[in-house]
Amino acid sequence: MAAVGLKRNRILAFIFATFVVALALYFFLYFEQDLRNYLASRMGPRARAEDSLINIPKLILFSLLAFLGVRALSTIIFDFVFRLRRGYEAPTLVRNIFSLVVFSILFLLIFNRIYTEVNLGALFTTSAIFGVIIGLALQDTLGNFFSGISLHADRPFQVGDVIVVGQQKHTGVVESITWRAIKIRTFQNHVVLVSNSNAAKEAIEVCPRDNLNARIVFFGTLYTDSPAKTIHVVREAVRDADNVSPKITPIVRIRNLGESSIDWEIKYWLEDYAKYNDTDALVRQRIWYALRRSGLTFAYPTRTIQLERKVAPKPVTAEEQIADRLSAVDIFSPLSPEELQKLAAATVGHVFAPGETLIRAGDEGSSMFVVHNGRVQVQVTENGRPRPVAVLSEGDFFGEMALFTGEPRTANVLAIEETEVLEIGHVAMKHLFETNPDLAESISWTIAERRASLAAGSQQLAQASIEESAGLLSSIKRFFGLR
Ligand code: CMP
């Protein structure tokens, strides 16, 4: 909106200026003869002196009009015709050259018409020394100017591309290419100006905006970890990260068999290369979480250190913490402490990064999860858009629907923040059902309620689905082979 207002003001100012200059010129020409007569009568014998006095403002007014005409012509050609034809903005340098050349020609024509007695050709040819002086003084400027022209002719990069220039490896997004220099905005938000003549001499690495540019990120794992598993785990963790292009699957490969690690590299392609710093960081974060979940380990230089241990009070074991957590889950409240302990021993803990998907709708699933720390969001996709259904936090469980019915997952579940979940598999649940027949019933109630709220949350459907729970119960029993 502000830009449109600014443009309108500029157009109004332009029309006003043209009007004023044209009016001034009109009056000037109208009274020119009177002015000449008046000056001639006042100056008397100093003949022709009045000519100079009259000609100077005349030259100025005509030149101003020519200048405004060139501006208008340049706007029409570059802002309308060029942009419509080519689909992008004309480079500033080209516009400036155009304006300068056209204006110079017009100025010389006007000058020639007004000062008929001055021989411009002779003036130019006899001023060779003057030319040499100007040439030497403008050596650098002209060098930049012609390098700028050749950059525009070659079009090796455009505004918006990321480039790396020179020995100092200035890296950033090209903001403009002017008469003098290429302006780059670096990733620290600094502006670097590389003169055109320097840029023409240096190698320039270009990462075009409309191109799928790749990045490589390094990491290392222990020799005991399976390479095949590492490749699979890391590739899957990285491929759906933000700004990683879905068009090409990332490549995970061994770069080196190092002293104390298998050295890996992952090559991935970016949608927007200008954000590569953030994306590299996200990729590293995803790798950390994925390795952690899959029991793979980052390598580190290995030393053998002997430590003297102090006798410390017995810490609370992770298993006890898990049993505590499970005892707070409402469906497990009927379980005895021994059963909870057994269930805790059978669970597997996983940690997920914020934004990561824990469950995808439509996938097969043979386990359920209890939120140990953090929060997850349950969402379904409607008309291609996610609709949040519920937020589950510590002590809540999910994934039970596929586990108990054998049907595909009904919804997506995503981590809202860093979330640790406890995974309970089919076998562990089967043991519990055998000793706690009521468990199947309370689970079938939860499933029926959740199904109802998935079915758009209508009260009627909810009621219908709750009534379904009796049917559900028998299908759960059948699925788990219970009587
Ligand atoms: P499942 O179908 O295995 O996978 C997706 C999970 O999202 C599902 O099990 C439920 O645990 C959970 N879920 C679905 N709908 C709801 C809901 N309305 N409220 C809470 N959790 C739900």
Side-chain angles (χ1 to χ4, degrees), residues 359 378 389-390 392 397-403 408-413 449-450 453-454:
I359 282 185
V378 181
V389 177
L392 305 177
F397 62 92
F398 59 92
E400 78 294 344
M401 290 162 98
L403 170 65
R409 298 285 191 197
T410 52
N412 295 315
V413 182
E449 268 168 17
R450 287 182 172 180
S453 99
L454 282 179

Side-chain angles (χ1 to χ4, degrees), residues 180-257:
R180 210 185 73 68
I182 304 167
K183 190 171 163 193
I184 302 169
R185 187 160 297 268
T186 68
F187 296 115
Q188 290 80 39
N189 204 22
H190 302 163
V191 171
V192 175
L193 293 167
V194 183
S195 70
N196 289 343
S197 51
N198 278 348
K201 285 181 221 143
E202 305 271 7
I204 305 179
E205 188 182 334
V206 183
C207 314
R209 205 169 28 162
D210 51 5
N211 180 52
L212 277 182
N213 300 293
R215 291 281 299 170
I216 295 184
V217 169
F218 305 109
F219 64 100
T221 58
L222 292 185
Y223 271 102
T224 44
D225 291 337
S226 141
K229 184 172 173 189
T230 309
I231 291 174
H232 176 74
V233 163
V234 172
R235 194 176 48 211
E236 290 310 303
V238 169
R239 67 192 301 176
D240 65 345
D242 248 11
N243 199 27
V244 171
S245 170
K247 293 185 194 121
I248 309 180
T249 312
I251 298 171
V252 183
R253 58 194 172 202
I254 295 178
R255 193 168 57 94
N256 184 33
L257 296 175

Side-chain angles (χ1 to χ4, degrees), residues 448 451-468:
R451 268 192 185 171
S453 99
L454 282 179
S458 101
Q459 213 43 51
Q460 267 181 345
L461 274 170
Q463 196 49 44
S465 291
I466 289 170
E467 280 156 15
E468 240 178 47

